[in-house]
Amino acid sequence: MKDLILVTGGTGYIGSHTAVELINEGYEVVIVDNLSNSTADSLDGIEKITGVRPAFEQFDICDKQRLDVFFEKYPSLKAIIHFAAFKAVGESVDFPLKYYRNNLVSLVNLLDCMHTYKVPSIVFSSSCTVYGQPKDLPVTEDAPIQIAESPYGNTKQICEEILRDSVRSMPELKVIALRYFNPIGAHPTALIGELPNGIPNNLVPFVTQTAAGLRPELRVFGDDYPTPDGSAVRDYINVADLAKAHVTAIGRLLNKANEPGFEFFNLGTGRGSSVLEVVKTFEKVTGVPVNYKIVGRRAGDIIAVWADTTKANKVLGWKAETSLEDTLLSAWNWEKKLRGIK
Ligand code: UD1
């Protein structure tokens, strides 16, 4: 029998790509999502890519009673991948309680149910935001956690602490936190991808929407950073590559039946790219110009961060494989499909 995995937030951007990779690797998937920042259309995409339509339950995991009903309905659940969370840094500054309530309560509810219904394994979506601006680059998992720049970032830090404390108190619990750098791009089939709500906050959806004519111009936030071209540097990781790391993490949790604990891994490419490099690479691979203007720095942005991926490479046996070029092309193919551009 196939192992059944719960993917919370599974109709969302990273969740839908992970559902595809899980199904491709022979897992059975059940998705829980309240569709607050995604649509059920991604289920069609997952089905078209894999030939399998995952089970789907629409509800909010902050509703503990409803979550109990779910766990009772799926007694064969083997592990959880927890994506469901709010993620807009700016919004979290304006509505901190919304972020604390949603991102913390959902995890607490899941951990409660994992204990009650004896599902000991969870992969948690964390972020490189926990490192702030690291002193040494590339950043390793040993780098100190810095005071969070935003309530969003703080929820990721607190969630990791909740998981660490829970591992101490629940001897059966096995946790892997994956610290994502900057996930971008879409599935190579262009059947699933990122669907930002309203005006995108993140760079690549803004680039693709500008190229598609939805936005008049991209604002490049700052060209006076101490970086080679003056714009900020990030580690942009292909979303399908990132999704595969979750499948590897699930395999690791399910295989070490008697080894509880808390592990955490950086998920990036190990390479930093500047904002201007992303824009120019996008123009080069797509042949589509991006109208952009240099403006002042964005509050709260760090200068540069990219991952040391040695631990994920060695311990998980996972490595990012897709080039920035192919990843940006996949983002553009997805945008073209959304907008009906030939
Ligand atoms: C941030 C968080 C990350 C979080 C993500 C979710 C950090 C280090 N990273 O990523 O943990 O998961 O938000 O949204 O806190 N840029 C422009 N013009 C734009 C948009 C972005 O120049 O219109 C620049 C930014 O200034 C930045 C780079 O592009 O230098 C990447 O920005 P973005 O895609 O928003 O991601 P982060 O801020 O790195």
Side-chain angles (χ1 to χ4, degrees), residues 87-89 127-129 152 180-182 200-204 206 218-221 232-234 236 275 298 301-302 305:
K87 60 163 190 178
V89 177
S127 166
C128 71
T129 192
Y152 157 77
Y180 312 152
F181 282 67
N182 289 57
N201 295 303
N202 297 113
L203 177 63
V204 170
F206 213 107
L218 166 77
R219 292 179 301 156
V220 171
F221 297 130
V233 170
R234 298 287 185 273
Y236 295 94
V275 175
R298 184 171 71 175
D301 264 347
I302 57 166
V305 67

PDB file of all heavy atoms in Angstrom, residues 87-89 127-129 152 180-182 200-204 206 218-221 232-234 236 275 298 301-302 305, ligand 1:
ATOM      1  N   LYS A  87       2.539  34.497   4.026  1.00  0.00           N
ATOM      2  CA  LYS A  87       3.963  34.675   3.705  1.00  0.00           C
ATOM      3  C   LYS A  87       4.349  36.061   3.197  1.00  0.00           C
ATOM      4  O   LYS A  87       5.457  36.246   2.703  1.00  0.00           O
ATOM      5  CB  LYS A  87       4.380  33.623   2.688  1.00  0.00           C
ATOM      6  CG  LYS A  87       3.590  33.733   1.395  1.00  0.00           C
ATOM      7  CD  LYS A  87       4.238  33.007   0.261  1.00  0.00           C
ATOM      8  CE  LYS A  87       3.549  33.345  -1.042  1.00  0.00           C
ATOM      9  NZ  LYS A  87       4.112  32.750  -2.211  1.00  0.00           N
ATOM     10  N   ALA A  88       3.437  37.029   3.260  1.00  0.00           N
ATOM     11  CA  ALA A  88       3.795  38.353   2.729  1.00  0.00           C
ATOM     12  C   ALA A  88       4.422  39.203   3.836  1.00  0.00           C
ATOM     13  O   ALA A  88       3.772  39.541   4.825  1.00  0.00           O
ATOM     14  CB  ALA A  88       2.562  39.034   2.154  1.00  0.00           C
ATOM     15  N   VAL A  89       5.704  39.497   3.636  1.00  0.00           N
ATOM     16  CA  VAL A  89       6.470  40.190   4.670  1.00  0.00           C
ATOM     17  C   VAL A  89       5.820  41.536   5.031  1.00  0.00           C
ATOM     18  O   VAL A  89       5.588  41.832   6.205  1.00  0.00           O
ATOM     19  CB  VAL A  89       7.925  40.400   4.185  1.00  0.00           C
ATOM     20  CG1 VAL A  89       8.726  41.191   5.206  1.00  0.00           C
ATOM     21  CG2 VAL A  89       8.586  39.056   3.903  1.00  0.00           C
ATOM     22  N   SER A 127      12.342  29.183   6.426  1.00  0.00           N
ATOM     23  CA  SER A 127      12.852  30.192   5.493  1.00  0.00           C
ATOM     24  C   SER A 127      14.232  30.659   5.901  1.00  0.00           C
ATOM     25  O   SER A 127      14.575  30.692   7.093  1.00  0.00           O
ATOM     26  CB  SER A 127      11.895  31.388   5.508  1.00  0.00           C
ATOM     27  OG  SER A 127      12.473  32.494   4.887  1.00  0.00           O
ATOM     28  N   CYS A 128      15.002  31.084   4.891  1.00  0.00           N
ATOM     29  CA  CYS A 128      16.319  31.664   5.174  1.00  0.00           C
ATOM     30  C   CYS A 128      16.185  32.985   5.915  1.00  0.00           C
ATOM     31  O   CYS A 128      17.179  33.534   6.386  1.00  0.00           O
ATOM     32  CB  CYS A 128      17.086  31.877   3.882  1.00  0.00           C
ATOM     33  SG  CYS A 128      16.429  33.209   2.876  1.00  0.00           S
ATOM     34  N   THR A 129      14.966  33.476   6.023  1.00  0.00           N
ATOM     35  CA  THR A 129      14.747  34.723   6.751  1.00  0.00           C
ATOM     36  C   THR A 129      15.217  34.586   8.209  1.00  0.00           C
ATOM     37  O   THR A 129      15.545  35.577   8.846  1.00  0.00           O
ATOM     38  CB  THR A 129      13.259  35.145   6.662  1.00  0.00           C
ATOM     39  OG1 THR A 129      13.126  36.470   7.135  1.00  0.00           O
ATOM     40  CG2 THR A 129      12.347  34.249   7.472  1.00  0.00           C
ATOM     41  N   TYR A 152       6.259  38.120   9.987  1.00  0.00           N
ATOM     42  CA  TYR A 152       6.312  36.899   9.177  1.00  0.00           C
ATOM     43  C   TYR A 152       7.556  36.079   9.529  1.00  0.00           C
ATOM     44  O   TYR A 152       7.478  34.886   9.820  1.00  0.00           O
ATOM     45  CB  TYR A 152       6.318  37.237   7.675  1.00  0.00           C
ATOM     46  CG  TYR A 152       6.917  36.141   6.842  1.00  0.00           C
ATOM     47  CD1 TYR A 152       6.186  34.993   6.558  1.00  0.00           C
ATOM     48  CD2 TYR A 152       8.243  36.218   6.385  1.00  0.00           C
ATOM     49  CE1 TYR A 152       6.753  33.961   5.831  1.00  0.00           C
ATOM     50  CE2 TYR A 152       8.812  35.193   5.674  1.00  0.00           C
ATOM     51  CZ  TYR A 152       8.070  34.064   5.392  1.00  0.00           C
ATOM     52  OH  TYR A 152       8.644  33.033   4.694  1.00  0.00           O
ATOM     53  N   TYR A 180      13.939  27.536   3.112  1.00  0.00           N
ATOM     54  CA  TYR A 180      13.989  27.889   1.686  1.00  0.00           C
ATOM     55  C   TYR A 180      14.705  29.212   1.509  1.00  0.00           C
ATOM     56  O   TYR A 180      14.475  30.158   2.251  1.00  0.00           O
ATOM     57  CB  TYR A 180      12.599  28.084   1.088  1.00  0.00           C
ATOM     58  CG  TYR A 180      11.594  27.006   1.387  1.00  0.00           C
ATOM     59  CD1 TYR A 180      10.236  27.326   1.427  1.00  0.00           C
ATOM     60  CD2 TYR A 180      11.967  25.689   1.600  1.00  0.00           C
ATOM     61  CE1 TYR A 180       9.281  26.361   1.679  1.00  0.00           C
ATOM     62  CE2 TYR A 180      11.010  24.718   1.859  1.00  0.00           C
ATOM     63  CZ  TYR A 180       9.669  25.053   1.907  1.00  0.00           C
ATOM     64  OH  TYR A 180       8.725  24.108   2.161  1.00  0.00           O
ATOM     65  N   PHE A 181      15.464  29.299   0.428  1.00  0.00           N
ATOM     66  CA  PHE A 181      15.979  30.599   0.001  1.00  0.00           C
ATOM     67  C   PHE A 181      14.875  31.210  -0.885  1.00  0.00           C
ATOM     68  O   PHE A 181      13.767  31.332  -0.431  1.00  0.00           O
ATOM     69  CB  PHE A 181      17.399  30.434  -0.564  1.00  0.00           C
ATOM     70  CG  PHE A 181      18.371  30.290   0.603  1.00  0.00           C
ATOM     71  CD1 PHE A 181      18.322  29.154   1.420  1.00  0.00           C
ATOM     72  CD2 PHE A 181      19.222  31.305   0.972  1.00  0.00           C
ATOM     73  CE1 PHE A 181      19.119  29.039   2.566  1.00  0.00           C
ATOM     74  CE2 PHE A 181      20.035  31.213   2.105  1.00  0.00           C
ATOM     75  CZ  PHE A 181      19.974  30.072   2.901  1.00  0.00           C
ATOM     76  N   ASN A 182      15.119  31.589  -2.115  1.00  0.00           N
ATOM     77  CA  ASN A 182      14.047  32.250  -2.880  1.00  0.00           C
ATOM     78  C   ASN A 182      13.485  31.320  -3.961  1.00  0.00           C
ATOM     79  O   ASN A 182      14.064  31.244  -5.056  1.00  0.00           O
ATOM     80  CB  ASN A 182      14.569  33.545  -3.501  1.00  0.00           C
ATOM     81  CG  ASN A 182      14.809  34.624  -2.461  1.00  0.00           C
ATOM     82  OD1 ASN A 182      15.570  34.435  -1.519  1.00  0.00           O
ATOM     83  ND2 ASN A 182      14.142  35.752  -2.610  1.00  0.00           N
ATOM     84  N   PRO A 200       2.133  41.624  -7.126  1.00  0.00           N
ATOM     85  CA  PRO A 200       3.124  40.730  -6.510  1.00  0.00           C
ATOM     86  C   PRO A 200       4.124  41.482  -5.636  1.00  0.00           C
ATOM     87  O   PRO A 200       4.516  42.607  -5.955  1.00  0.00           O
ATOM     88  CB  PRO A 200       3.850  40.119  -7.715  1.00  0.00           C
ATOM     89  CG  PRO A 200       3.069  40.450  -8.911  1.00  0.00           C
ATOM     90  CD  PRO A 200       2.235  41.646  -8.593  1.00  0.00           C
ATOM     91  N   ASN A 201       4.522  40.862  -4.537  1.00  0.00           N
ATOM     92  CA  ASN A 201       5.580  41.415  -3.691  1.00  0.00           C
ATOM     93  C   ASN A 201       6.943  40.902  -4.125  1.00  0.00           C
ATOM     94  O   ASN A 201       7.954  41.566  -3.949  1.00  0.00           O
ATOM     95  CB  ASN A 201       5.391  40.964  -2.231  1.00  0.00           C
ATOM     96  CG  ASN A 201       4.117  41.515  -1.637  1.00  0.00           C
ATOM     97  OD1 ASN A 201       3.928  42.720  -1.625  1.00  0.00           O
ATOM     98  ND2 ASN A 201       3.234  40.637  -1.175  1.00  0.00           N
ATOM     99  N   ASN A 202       6.956  39.704  -4.661  1.00  0.00           N
ATOM    100  CA  ASN A 202       8.230  39.048  -4.953  1.00  0.00           C
ATOM    101  C   ASN A 202       8.735  39.404  -6.341  1.00  0.00           C
ATOM    102  O   ASN A 202       7.965  39.766  -7.230  1.00  0.00           O
ATOM    103  CB  ASN A 202       8.089  37.532  -4.801  1.00  0.00           C
ATOM    104  CG  ASN A 202       7.754  37.140  -3.372  1.00  0.00           C
ATOM    105  OD1 ASN A 202       6.667  36.646  -3.085  1.00  0.00           O
ATOM    106  ND2 ASN A 202       8.661  37.400  -2.448  1.00  0.00           N
ATOM    107  N   LEU A 203      10.036  39.273  -6.495  1.00  0.00           N
ATOM    108  CA  LEU A 203      10.688  39.767  -7.707  1.00  0.00           C
ATOM    109  C   LEU A 203      10.198  39.078  -8.993  1.00  0.00           C
ATOM    110  O   LEU A 203       9.785  39.753  -9.940  1.00  0.00           O
ATOM    111  CB  LEU A 203      12.210  39.601  -7.565  1.00  0.00           C
ATOM    112  CG  LEU A 203      13.016  40.008  -8.784  1.00  0.00           C
ATOM    113  CD1 LEU A 203      12.858  41.497  -9.099  1.00  0.00           C
ATOM    114  CD2 LEU A 203      14.498  39.663  -8.592  1.00  0.00           C
ATOM    115  N   VAL A 204      10.275  37.753  -9.040  1.00  0.00           N
ATOM    116  CA  VAL A 204      10.065  37.090 -10.334  1.00  0.00           C
ATOM    117  C   VAL A 204       8.631  37.236 -10.850  1.00  0.00           C
ATOM    118  O   VAL A 204       8.433  37.553 -12.034  1.00  0.00           O
ATOM    119  CB  VAL A 204      10.579  35.633 -10.291  1.00  0.00           C
ATOM    120  CG1 VAL A 204      10.151  34.855 -11.530  1.00  0.00           C
ATOM    121  CG2 VAL A 204      12.108  35.663 -10.183  1.00  0.00           C
ATOM    122  N   PHE A 206       6.802  39.704 -10.378  1.00  0.00           N
ATOM    123  CA  PHE A 206       6.721  41.096 -10.843  1.00  0.00           C
ATOM    124  C   PHE A 206       7.391  41.245 -12.198  1.00  0.00           C
ATOM    125  O   PHE A 206       6.897  41.947 -13.095  1.00  0.00           O
ATOM    126  CB  PHE A 206       7.327  42.067  -9.808  1.00  0.00           C
ATOM    127  CG  PHE A 206       6.634  43.393  -9.802  1.00  0.00           C
ATOM    128  CD1 PHE A 206       5.789  43.739  -8.760  1.00  0.00           C
ATOM    129  CD2 PHE A 206       6.781  44.280 -10.860  1.00  0.00           C
ATOM    130  CE1 PHE A 206       5.098  44.938  -8.772  1.00  0.00           C
ATOM    131  CE2 PHE A 206       6.104  45.490 -10.879  1.00  0.00           C
ATOM    132  CZ  PHE A 206       5.256  45.822  -9.834  1.00  0.00           C
ATOM    133  N   LEU A 218       8.897  47.530 -13.609  1.00  0.00           N
ATOM    134  CA  LEU A 218       9.451  46.902 -12.411  1.00  0.00           C
ATOM    135  C   LEU A 218      10.300  47.939 -11.699  1.00  0.00           C
ATOM    136  O   LEU A 218      11.091  48.642 -12.332  1.00  0.00           O
ATOM    137  CB  LEU A 218      10.338  45.725 -12.832  1.00  0.00           C
ATOM    138  CG  LEU A 218      11.262  45.157 -11.750  1.00  0.00           C
ATOM    139  CD1 LEU A 218      10.478  44.290 -10.768  1.00  0.00           C
ATOM    140  CD2 LEU A 218      12.391  44.337 -12.379  1.00  0.00           C
ATOM    141  N   ARG A 219      10.126  48.036 -10.397  1.00  0.00           N
ATOM    142  CA  ARG A 219      11.020  48.899  -9.627  1.00  0.00           C
ATOM    143  C   ARG A 219      12.109  48.015  -9.028  1.00  0.00           C
ATOM    144  O   ARG A 219      11.819  47.050  -8.330  1.00  0.00           O
ATOM    145  CB  ARG A 219      10.255  49.618  -8.520  1.00  0.00           C
ATOM    146  CG  ARG A 219       9.258  50.635  -9.076  1.00  0.00           C
ATOM    147  CD  ARG A 219       8.498  51.329  -7.977  1.00  0.00           C
ATOM    148  NE  ARG A 219       7.764  50.375  -7.159  1.00  0.00           N
ATOM    149  CZ  ARG A 219       7.393  50.589  -5.892  1.00  0.00           C
ATOM    150  NH1 ARG A 219       7.681  51.717  -5.293  1.00  0.00           N
ATOM    151  NH2 ARG A 219       6.730  49.670  -5.227  1.00  0.00           N
ATOM    152  N   VAL A 220      13.348  48.348  -9.328  1.00  0.00           N
ATOM    153  CA  VAL A 220      14.479  47.621  -8.737  1.00  0.00           C
ATOM    154  C   VAL A 220      14.854  48.372  -7.465  1.00  0.00           C
ATOM    155  O   VAL A 220      15.249  49.545  -7.515  1.00  0.00           O
ATOM    156  CB  VAL A 220      15.664  47.544  -9.726  1.00  0.00           C
ATOM    157  CG1 VAL A 220      16.905  46.989  -9.043  1.00  0.00           C
ATOM    158  CG2 VAL A 220      15.281  46.707 -10.937  1.00  0.00           C
ATOM    159  N   PHE A 221      14.697  47.678  -6.340  1.00  0.00           N
ATOM    160  CA  PHE A 221      14.873  48.342  -5.050  1.00  0.00           C
ATOM    161  C   PHE A 221      16.352  48.447  -4.666  1.00  0.00           C
ATOM    162  O   PHE A 221      16.883  47.601  -3.963  1.00  0.00           O
ATOM    163  CB  PHE A 221      14.096  47.606  -3.960  1.00  0.00           C
ATOM    164  CG  PHE A 221      12.607  47.581  -4.171  1.00  0.00           C
ATOM    165  CD1 PHE A 221      11.890  46.386  -4.082  1.00  0.00           C
ATOM    166  CD2 PHE A 221      11.908  48.745  -4.463  1.00  0.00           C
ATOM    167  CE1 PHE A 221      10.517  46.356  -4.271  1.00  0.00           C
ATOM    168  CE2 PHE A 221      10.525  48.728  -4.660  1.00  0.00           C
ATOM    169  CZ  PHE A 221       9.832  47.525  -4.563  1.00  0.00           C
ATOM    170  N   ALA A 232      20.638  43.990  -4.799  1.00  0.00           N
ATOM    171  CA  ALA A 232      20.696  42.983  -3.730  1.00  0.00           C
ATOM    172  C   ALA A 232      20.816  41.565  -4.309  1.00  0.00           C
ATOM    173  O   ALA A 232      20.356  41.296  -5.420  1.00  0.00           O
ATOM    174  CB  ALA A 232      19.447  43.090  -2.869  1.00  0.00           C
ATOM    175  N   VAL A 233      21.431  40.694  -3.532  1.00  0.00           N
ATOM    176  CA  VAL A 233      21.731  39.341  -4.011  1.00  0.00           C
ATOM    177  C   VAL A 233      20.946  38.293  -3.204  1.00  0.00           C
ATOM    178  O   VAL A 233      20.887  38.358  -1.976  1.00  0.00           O
ATOM    179  CB  VAL A 233      23.251  39.077  -3.909  1.00  0.00           C
ATOM    180  CG1 VAL A 233      23.576  37.611  -4.169  1.00  0.00           C
ATOM    181  CG2 VAL A 233      24.012  39.978  -4.883  1.00  0.00           C
ATOM    182  N   ARG A 234      20.331  37.340  -3.933  1.00  0.00           N
ATOM    183  CA  ARG A 234      19.579  36.247  -3.312  1.00  0.00           C
ATOM    184  C   ARG A 234      19.942  34.937  -4.006  1.00  0.00           C
ATOM    185  O   ARG A 234      20.501  34.936  -5.099  1.00  0.00           O
ATOM    186  CB  ARG A 234      18.055  36.466  -3.489  1.00  0.00           C
ATOM    187  CG  ARG A 234      17.500  37.714  -2.846  1.00  0.00           C
ATOM    188  CD  ARG A 234      17.436  37.614  -1.338  1.00  0.00           C
ATOM    189  NE  ARG A 234      16.798  38.780  -0.759  1.00  0.00           N
ATOM    190  CZ  ARG A 234      17.423  39.917  -0.425  1.00  0.00           C
ATOM    191  NH1 ARG A 234      18.720  40.043  -0.637  1.00  0.00           N
ATOM    192  NH2 ARG A 234      16.753  40.912   0.106  1.00  0.00           N
ATOM    193  N   TYR A 236      18.206  32.118  -5.804  1.00  0.00           N
ATOM    194  CA  TYR A 236      16.925  31.769  -6.432  1.00  0.00           C
ATOM    195  C   TYR A 236      16.922  30.292  -6.775  1.00  0.00           C
ATOM    196  O   TYR A 236      17.712  29.834  -7.590  1.00  0.00           O
ATOM    197  CB  TYR A 236      16.702  32.636  -7.681  1.00  0.00           C
ATOM    198  CG  TYR A 236      16.556  34.101  -7.320  1.00  0.00           C
ATOM    199  CD1 TYR A 236      17.658  34.962  -7.341  1.00  0.00           C
ATOM    200  CD2 TYR A 236      15.333  34.614  -6.907  1.00  0.00           C
ATOM    201  CE1 TYR A 236      17.529  36.299  -6.975  1.00  0.00           C
ATOM    202  CE2 TYR A 236      15.198  35.951  -6.537  1.00  0.00           C
ATOM    203  CZ  TYR A 236      16.300  36.785  -6.572  1.00  0.00           C
ATOM    204  OH  TYR A 236      16.189  38.104  -6.200  1.00  0.00           O
ATOM    205  N   VAL A 275      19.528  41.250  -8.329  1.00  0.00           N
ATOM    206  CA  VAL A 275      18.241  41.596  -8.960  1.00  0.00           C
ATOM    207  C   VAL A 275      18.469  41.908 -10.443  1.00  0.00           C
ATOM    208  O   VAL A 275      17.737  41.406 -11.319  1.00  0.00           O
ATOM    209  CB  VAL A 275      17.594  42.802  -8.237  1.00  0.00           C
ATOM    210  CG1 VAL A 275      16.322  43.236  -8.964  1.00  0.00           C
ATOM    211  CG2 VAL A 275      17.289  42.473  -6.780  1.00  0.00           C
ATOM    212  N   ARG A 298      14.235  48.945  -0.490  1.00  0.00           N
ATOM    213  CA  ARG A 298      12.980  48.562   0.173  1.00  0.00           C
ATOM    214  C   ARG A 298      13.291  48.327   1.654  1.00  0.00           C
ATOM    215  O   ARG A 298      14.249  47.619   1.979  1.00  0.00           O
ATOM    216  CB  ARG A 298      12.450  47.279  -0.476  1.00  0.00           C
ATOM    217  CG  ARG A 298      11.106  46.814   0.044  1.00  0.00           C
ATOM    218  CD  ARG A 298      10.552  45.670  -0.793  1.00  0.00           C
ATOM    219  NE  ARG A 298      11.286  44.419  -0.603  1.00  0.00           N
ATOM    220  CZ  ARG A 298      10.930  43.248  -1.150  1.00  0.00           C
ATOM    221  NH1 ARG A 298       9.875  43.182  -1.958  1.00  0.00           N
ATOM    222  NH2 ARG A 298      11.646  42.169  -0.937  1.00  0.00           N
ATOM    223  N   ASP A 301      14.889  45.054   3.612  1.00  0.00           N
ATOM    224  CA  ASP A 301      15.628  44.139   2.742  1.00  0.00           C
ATOM    225  C   ASP A 301      17.053  43.949   3.252  1.00  0.00           C
ATOM    226  O   ASP A 301      17.689  44.904   3.703  1.00  0.00           O
ATOM    227  CB  ASP A 301      15.704  44.701   1.308  1.00  0.00           C
ATOM    228  CG  ASP A 301      14.616  44.148   0.415  1.00  0.00           C
ATOM    229  OD1 ASP A 301      13.962  43.161   0.803  1.00  0.00           O
ATOM    230  OD2 ASP A 301      14.419  44.712  -0.678  1.00  0.00           O
ATOM    231  N   ILE A 302      17.539  42.737   3.149  1.00  0.00           N
ATOM    232  CA  ILE A 302      18.937  42.518   3.466  1.00  0.00           C
ATOM    233  C   ILE A 302      19.766  42.699   2.191  1.00  0.00           C
ATOM    234  O   ILE A 302      19.217  42.770   1.087  1.00  0.00           O
ATOM    235  CB  ILE A 302      19.158  41.128   4.084  1.00  0.00           C
ATOM    236  CG1 ILE A 302      18.643  40.054   3.148  1.00  0.00           C
ATOM    237  CG2 ILE A 302      18.495  41.021   5.452  1.00  0.00           C
ATOM    238  CD1 ILE A 302      19.126  38.709   3.551  1.00  0.00           C
ATOM    239  N   VAL A 305      22.228  37.271   0.505  1.00  0.00           N
ATOM    240  CA  VAL A 305      22.217  35.980   1.188  1.00  0.00           C
ATOM    241  C   VAL A 305      22.168  34.876   0.149  1.00  0.00           C
ATOM    242  O   VAL A 305      21.444  34.966  -0.831  1.00  0.00           O
ATOM    243  CB  VAL A 305      21.038  35.882   2.198  1.00  0.00           C
ATOM    244  CG1 VAL A 305      19.674  35.863   1.523  1.00  0.00           C
ATOM    245  CG2 VAL A 305      21.195  34.669   3.104  1.00  0.00           C
TER     246      VAL A 305
HETATM  247  C1  UD1 B   1      11.460  37.506   1.473  1.00  0.00           C
HETATM  248  C2  UD1 B   1      12.011  36.717   2.620  1.00  0.00           C
HETATM  249  C3  UD1 B   1      11.650  35.287   2.491  1.00  0.00           C
HETATM  250  C4  UD1 B   1      10.186  35.126   2.311  1.00  0.00           C
HETATM  251  C5  UD1 B   1       9.751  35.872   1.096  1.00  0.00           C
HETATM  252  C6  UD1 B   1       8.241  35.712   1.002  1.00  0.00           C
HETATM  253  C7  UD1 B   1      14.120  37.447   3.540  1.00  0.00           C
HETATM  254  C8  UD1 B   1      15.597  37.412   3.409  1.00  0.00           C
HETATM  255  N1  UD1 B   1      13.462  36.795   2.597  1.00  0.00           N
HETATM  256  O1  UD1 B   1      12.241  37.206   0.361  1.00  0.00           O
HETATM  257  O2  UD1 B   1      12.031  34.596   3.648  1.00  0.00           O
HETATM  258  O3  UD1 B   1       9.853  33.773   2.200  1.00  0.00           O
HETATM  259  O4  UD1 B   1      10.101  37.239   1.246  1.00  0.00           O
HETATM  260  O5  UD1 B   1       7.652  36.713   0.293  1.00  0.00           O
HETATM  261  O6  UD1 B   1      13.547  38.017   4.435  1.00  0.00           O
HETATM  262  N2  UD1 B   1      12.791  43.231  -5.588  1.00  0.00           N
HETATM  263  C9  UD1 B   1      12.803  44.330  -6.443  1.00  0.00           C
HETATM  264  N3  UD1 B   1      11.616  44.740  -6.999  1.00  0.00           N
HETATM  265  C10 UD1 B   1      10.427  44.119  -6.734  1.00  0.00           C
HETATM  266  C11 UD1 B   1      10.429  43.001  -5.863  1.00  0.00           C
HETATM  267  C12 UD1 B   1      11.631  42.580  -5.309  1.00  0.00           C
HETATM  268  O7  UD1 B   1      13.844  44.925  -6.693  1.00  0.00           O
HETATM  269  O8  UD1 B   1       9.398  44.554  -7.240  1.00  0.00           O
HETATM  270  C13 UD1 B   1      14.051  42.790  -5.004  1.00  0.00           C
HETATM  271  C14 UD1 B   1      14.063  42.837  -3.490  1.00  0.00           C
HETATM  272  O9  UD1 B   1      14.424  44.100  -3.031  1.00  0.00           O
HETATM  273  C15 UD1 B   1      15.068  41.744  -3.166  1.00  0.00           C
HETATM  274  C16 UD1 B   1      14.892  40.735  -4.301  1.00  0.00           C
HETATM  275  O10 UD1 B   1      14.229  41.441  -5.346  1.00  0.00           O
HETATM  276  O11 UD1 B   1      16.363  42.239  -3.219  1.00  0.00           O
HETATM  277  C17 UD1 B   1      14.031  39.552  -3.913  1.00  0.00           C
HETATM  278  O12 UD1 B   1      12.839  40.021  -3.319  1.00  0.00           O
HETATM  279  P1  UD1 B   1      11.613  39.066  -3.006  1.00  0.00           P
HETATM  280  O13 UD1 B   1      11.294  38.239  -4.185  1.00  0.00           O
HETATM  281  O14 UD1 B   1      10.528  39.913  -2.435  1.00  0.00           O
HETATM  282  O15 UD1 B   1      12.163  38.067  -1.905  1.00  0.00           O
HETATM  283  P2  UD1 B   1      12.908  38.357  -0.518  1.00  0.00           P
HETATM  284  O16 UD1 B   1      12.590  39.690   0.003  1.00  0.00           O
HETATM  285  O17 UD1 B   1      14.342  37.986  -0.693  1.00  0.00           O
END
